[in-house]
Amino acid sequence: MRAVTWQGKRDVRVDTVPDPTIQEPTDAVIRVTTSGLCGSDLHLYEVLTPFMTPGDIIGHEPMGIVEEVGAGVPDLRVGDRVVVPFQIACGACWMCLNGLPTQCETTQVTAEGMGAALFGYTRLYGAVPGAQAEYLRVPQAQFGPIKVPEGPPDDRFVYLSDVLPTAWQAVAYADIPEGGSVAVLGLGPIGDMACRVAQVRGAGRVFGVDLVGDRLRRARARGVEAFDLRSYDSEKELVDAIRDETDGRGPDAVIDAVGTEAHGSAAARMVQNASALLPRKISGPFAERFSIDRLAALHTAIDLVRRGGTLSLVGVYGGMADPLPMLTMFDKQLQIRMGQANVRRWADEILPYLTDEDPLGVDDFATHRVPLSDAPHAYEMFQRKQDGAVKVLMTP
């Protein structure tokens, strides 16, 4: 089959690789009909290279048709249309039963000290072959795949794999009071969708912050009060401008949908780049021990949120030596929640919104649809924020 493989920093290719097969009774194999390109994939493209191996199949946002089912998967049939969550979880352990499939005790990558295995996402998360491919082996298929109806196009449902539950959890963790306010930092696919979710879940005012014109215009078209970071001489001025809209207090909650990709510390970027240039045997241990993030977005979130407010961190961070303003965080009495989205926890709440009325705008959420063969160009375009790219879907 054809699949997108990682070959080095900013080097992905479409190669011919062996077809996946059933390896365990709880496996299924699906024929992928649509697979998304996620902002998290850009971390593999540039930042997390010490944890990658040339030839790794990447991608974690698939949907498709069941082609083969193991004997231990009672509820799937060949021909079923399914969305596959990005995490691999059993559904039966203590963590899964308590709504935390990202911490599944059956698939935890204990050798790396990490949570549940993920599709296509470094050796830290199990080095499981990913979903930007023609076919995908799905472990723990007795729990993971979400069956969806025939009829509507893939765009209606594919975001259940990651974008929708990630945005939904970000808003749930933000704990916005009914009619309250929230600021979303970063209007890429997750930040954009978080704004939409906040609106349908009853937020009174939704502020969005970005520095890409296309993303700001897209958010404003859906009623978001969007602030262009480029219009301010400093982030302090931006914070003051949003505070002026909230009686001088700041919003009730701030969602950081940027993570370590934020502009900011040149030193942090230097450490990230240095680890990628080291020999493979030492680059991983170096990154695990000394990696730091560019924390511009997080520091802005801490400054911006009102006292007693909530920070919801959904942007990916990977540093192990990050300095944080603990005095400010303690003094402001902040609540902070974060983590990978627990897809199956939220799926049943989200499905009623995936109707012909389309309140979340999923049917036209994608800005680009490309064949799998165009993946190298799609990665470059998305990483450089060219051509209005916010969400890219690939068709094998």
Side-chain angles (χ1 to χ4, degrees):
M1 69 171 184
R2 302 289 283 170
V4 181
T5 65
W6 184 92
Q7 298 296 337
K9 183 175 180 178
R10 299 181 188 169
D11 183 3
V12 299
R13 305 174 193 174
V14 181
D15 292 329
T16 299
V17 301
D19 290 350
T21 60
I22 298 290
Q23 299 178 22
E24 301 290 341
T26 52
D27 287 352
V29 173
I30 72 164
R31 174 175 56 83
V32 178
T33 55
T34 298
S35 191
L37 172 54
C38 178
S40 295
D41 292 325
L42 296 184
H43 295 291
L44 311 182
Y45 195 61
E46 182 165 7
V47 178
L48 296 179
T49 57
F51 305 109
M52 299 294 290
T53 300
D56 282 349
I57 301 173
I58 52 183
H60 58 268
E61 295 187 347
M63 70 174 292
I65 307 298
V66 175
E67 292 282 308
E68 191 175 358
V69 180
V73 185
D75 296 327
L76 284 186
R77 299 287 184 272
V78 172
D80 282 347
R81 188 186 194 196
V82 296
V83 178
V84 180
F86 69 90
Q87 72 243 189
I88 301 166
C90 72
C93 68
W94 189 92
M95 289 290 181
C96 287
L97 293 174
N98 283 275
L100 293 167
T102 56
Q103 310 303 325
C104 175
E105 292 169 321
T106 300
T107 72
Q108 277 180 14
V109 187
T110 54
E112 300 288 349
M114 305 299 280
L118 309 179
F119 287 104
Y121 214 76
T122 81
R123 66 169 173 79
L124 294 179
Y125 289 100
V128 181
Q132 290 169 7
E134 293 179 314
Y135 294 89
L136 176 70
R137 171 181 167 252
V138 182
Q140 303 297 328
Q142 80 288 349
F143 174 68
I146 303 165
K147 288 194 278 190
V148 296
E150 297 293 335
D154 282 7
D155 291 45
R156 180 74 57 87
F157 302 113
V158 68
Y159 305 116
L160 279 170
S161 60
D162 184 348
V163 174
L164 278 167
T166 297
W168 198 273
Q169 179 171 295
V171 173
Y173 279 9
D175 196 25
I176 308 160
E178 182 69 26
S181 58
V182 60
V184 179
L185 306 184
L187 296 174
I190 300 300
D192 185 337
M193 185 58 74
C195 290
R196 303 178 188 205
V197 171
Q199 289 170 327
V200 302
R201 292 190 56 158
R205 300 185 74 179
V206 178
F207 306 103
V209 178
D210 208 298
L211 43 68
V212 180
D214 291 327
R215 298 183 177 191
L216 292 161
R217 286 187 289 272
R218 179 176 160 108
R220 289 186 183 117
R222 294 192 66 90
V224 175
E225 299 176 59
F227 289 74
D228 187 344
L229 187 58
R230 298 168 300 179
S231 299
Y232 301 90
D233 291 333
S234 68
E235 292 187 17
K236 183 69 169 67
E237 286 189 9
L238 168 72
V239 168
D240 289 342
I242 298 177
R243 279 187 183 149
D244 287 344
E245 297 293 327
T246 55
D247 298 323
R249 285 189 296 270
D252 298 305
V254 175
I255 296 172
D256 173 2
V258 179
T260 193
E261 287 301 304
H263 68 284
S265 169
R269 185 176 182 86
M270 181 178 68
V271 172
Q272 290 172 347
N273 290 339
S275 65
L277 295 174
L278 292 171
R280 293 196 56 78
K281 288 185 178 180
I282 61 174
S283 63
F286 178 90
E288 288 181 71
R289 184 171 180 182
F290 299 110
S291 60
I292 56 178
D293 293 298
R294 285 172 278 167
L295 297 174
L298 179 55
H299 282 282
T300 298
I302 292 167
D303 191 18
L304 176 58
V305 70
R306 69 162 169 81
R307 291 179 176 272
T310 302
L311 299 182
S312 177
L313 309 187
V314 64
V316 174
Y317 286 99
M320 295 293 284
D322 291 330
L324 293 173
M326 295 303 297
L327 174 62
T328 300
M329 295 159 67
F330 182 83
D331 179 66
K332 291 187 73 170
Q333 200 171 338
L334 302 184
Q335 300 180 72
I336 303 176
R337 298 194 72 181
M338 66 187 82
Q340 303 275 12
N342 298 289
V343 175
R344 290 305 303 265
R345 176 177 179 179
W346 308 111
D348 289 345
E349 292 184 23
I350 297 168
L351 274 166
Y353 290 87
L354 305 183
T355 62
D356 288 342
E357 289 73 27
D358 195 19
L360 294 171
V362 294
D363 287 349
D364 59 1
F365 188 71
T367 54
H368 294 74
R369 296 169 180 82
V370 301
L372 192 70
S373 58
D374 284 353
H377 170 69
Y379 268 82
E380 182 180 7
M381 174 182 66
F382 189 35
Q383 197 265 346
R384 295 184 178 182
K385 300 179 176 63
Q386 295 174 335
D387 194 29
V390 176
K391 189 61 186 177
V392 181
L393 297 179
M394 300 180 191
T395 304

